[in-house]
Amino acid sequence: GKINSLSITTPPSKTEYKEGESFDKTGMVVKANLNNNKSYEIKDYTISPSGALTGNDTEVTISYGGKSVKQSISVVVPSVTATEFAQAKVGTDGLEQITHTIDSTLQVDNKFATEYRYRGGDSVVKNYVTFNNEVWRIIGVIPTEDTNGKVENRIKIIRDASIGKKKWNETQDTTTNSYSNWVTGTLNTYLNNDYYNTLSTDAKNMIGTAKYYLGGYNNIPSFTSDIMWQYERKNEANRTGYYYGTNPIMQNDANKKIAIMYASDYGYAASKECTSNLFNYDGSASCKTTNNWLDKSAYTWLLPQRSDTSANAFSVDPGGYVTSSLNVDYGESAVRPVLSLSSNVKISGGE
């Protein structure tokens, strides 16, 4: 007789899988049903997909003699904490461990010494995530202090595309007599009100509070990312040269969860081979464009202030280097929101 259809008369012993496992046909009985109402068991059928299962797979297809039948399965994608993710991935996909020197001039202590950051160009770095139904990228797994003072390794992400060009701040703060006060700046307000309100409920629920450090420098950044990281975090007793006037040294506000990237965030995104100071990134191929995944070849705002003037902040130049020459209330530059996910948010799958 001719085969009319296939049927699974006994399902397989295993129907639940972890991502990466392959389908196991043990226990499954498949029969070919003929047009004369007879049937017989078959063994030499093909299975698709035949290799590693993914979280998108909900069934496998059994094929034989030009006919097929489907068997339902479920595939669980394992999720890991930020620390587990970092320790499992370090040394792969561009994720590198960075160790900072901590001293008494900083707002942070030894809990902040070890970070894991993605370094290099797009050909190396695989750090894409879906957040708010958009493409975002993982800056790294960074020890982060929330607004209650708790320090944990948290996943810090940045929107891959700019949300448009804006001024860093449009109004002078009357208390500090400066335009370079991020705490009261109009871009900060926009990000944490109008922009925040465009996010999905799921996205909002994934964002954790974070303390933001506001240190900068009184000149161009003629030093490395390691030094910039220190300057961004200088404490009150060592504020001279790093903060304009009485500008605050940090922001600790549970209602302001979103910011923009530090100059050091941009600096560390360059390949490990980059040894230039931030202002000279344009002179080294290992520091920019195809060797720095954060370089979009566009004017892009950064968080640090220039401390010897009331109206300048740091930014990335289209040439790929970091400068402090832009006036916060005059020119508009690209804005890429940055945030830290809550410590209870886990990563599953993807690259």
Side-chain angles (χ1 to χ4, degrees):
K2 185 180 178 183
I3 297 176
N4 262 353
S5 64
L6 304 182
S7 58
I8 298 171
T9 57
T10 304
S13 304
K14 180 176 181 176
T15 57
E16 296 182 359
Y17 294 87
K18 292 179 181 177
E19 187 174 50
E21 293 182 331
S22 296
F23 179 74
D24 183 354
K25 66 180 182 180
T26 303
M28 183 170 67
V29 177
V30 182
K31 290 190 174 181
N33 306 305
L34 308 180
N35 58 0
N36 59 7
N37 292 326
K38 293 183 178 181
S39 64
Y40 62 92
E41 184 178 352
I42 53 174
K43 303 265 190 186
D44 53 342
Y45 47 79
T46 61
I47 300 169
S48 177
S50 59
L53 298 169
T54 73
N56 296 322
D57 293 319
T58 58
E59 60 190 18
V60 294
T61 302
I62 315 299
S63 303
Y64 177 84
K67 301 295 181 181
S68 64
V69 63
K70 297 182 185 300
Q71 169 63 46
S72 295
I73 58 168
S74 60
V75 181
V76 175
V77 180
S79 59
V80 294
T81 65
T83 302
E84 290 168 343
F85 175 83
Q87 292 172 346
K89 291 281 191 179
V90 66
T92 64
D93 296 337
L95 188 65
E96 302 291 345
Q97 180 176 320
I98 290 172
T99 304
H100 297 290
T101 301
I102 307 293
D103 63 32
S104 61
T105 70
L106 306 181
Q107 300 182 57
V108 296
D109 60 19
N110 285 324
K111 292 192 290 289
F112 296 81
T114 302
E115 302 178 335
Y116 301 87
R117 290 178 176 270
Y118 281 98
R119 309 194 68 185
D122 286 332
S123 63
V124 173
V125 172
K126 307 301 178 192
N127 61 349
Y128 295 92
V129 289
T130 299
F131 177 79
N132 194 46
N133 299 312
E134 300 166 337
V135 177
W136 286 58
R137 301 184 74 171
I138 301 174
I139 290 176
V141 176
I142 314 286
T144 304
E145 185 172 355
D146 68 17
T147 53
N148 293 318
K150 186 175 184 180
V151 179
E152 295 176 281
N153 275 342
R154 307 248 301 271
I155 296 162
K156 185 176 185 179
I157 62 174
I158 184 168
R159 195 176 191 267
D160 190 43
S162 164
I163 57 171
K165 292 183 177 181
K166 295 191 176 293
K167 294 176 181 177
W168 199 94
N169 187 19
E170 297 180 40
T171 57
Q172 185 177 26
D173 184 283
T174 54
T175 303
T176 60
N177 294 318
S178 65
Y179 285 87
S180 57
N181 182 350
W182 176 258
V183 170
T184 55
T186 51
L187 178 55
N188 188 14
T189 301
Y190 170 77
L191 287 172
N192 289 285
N193 288 277
D194 292 354
Y195 174 71
Y196 177 81
N197 290 332
T198 68
L199 301 179
S200 68
T201 301
D202 284 346
K204 290 176 183 175
N205 290 337
M206 293 170 74
I207 308 173
T209 65
K211 182 181 286 187
Y212 287 101
Y213 308 102
L214 304 177
Y217 190 57
N218 59 13
N219 209 322
I220 58 171
S222 54
F223 38 77
T224 63
S225 303
D226 288 331
I227 301 297
M228 189 73 233
W229 188 91
Q230 306 259 338
Y231 289 178
E232 291 161 351
R233 289 155 180 80
K234 290 293 183 179
N235 59 26
E236 184 66 37
N238 295 275
R239 66 177 292 129
T240 304
Y242 307 105
Y243 304 89
Y244 175 79
T246 56
N247 276 354
I249 64 171
M250 57 88 175
Q251 174 182 280
N252 191 34
D253 187 340
N255 294 315
K256 290 181 175 177
K257 302 175 183 177
I258 302 173
I260 53 180
M261 61 178 153
Y262 292 114
S264 61
D265 287 334
Y266 176 79
Y268 282 126
S271 67
K272 286 188 299 182
E273 290 70 33
C274 173
T275 57
S276 300
N277 69 59
L278 292 165
F279 186 65
N280 290 341
Y281 266 29
D282 59 329
S284 174
S286 59
C287 299
K288 61 178 182 177
T289 54
T290 56
N291 285 305
N292 185 328
W293 67 270
L294 277 175
D295 184 5
K296 296 287 190 180
S297 300
Y299 288 109
T300 305
W301 284 124
L302 300 171
L303 193 56
Q305 61 191 275
R306 177 156 175 161
S307 61
D308 64 346
T309 173
S310 66
N312 283 38
F314 280 62
S315 61
V316 181
D317 184 88
Y321 64 92
V322 178
T323 181
S324 55
S325 61
L326 290 192
N327 192 297
V328 297
D329 65 326
Y330 181 72
E332 295 187 341
S333 291
V335 174
R336 297 176 67 188
V338 164
L339 57 91
S340 292
L341 300 175
S342 296
S343 57
N344 61 358
V345 174
K346 297 186 176 184
I347 287 188
S348 59
E351 55 172 36

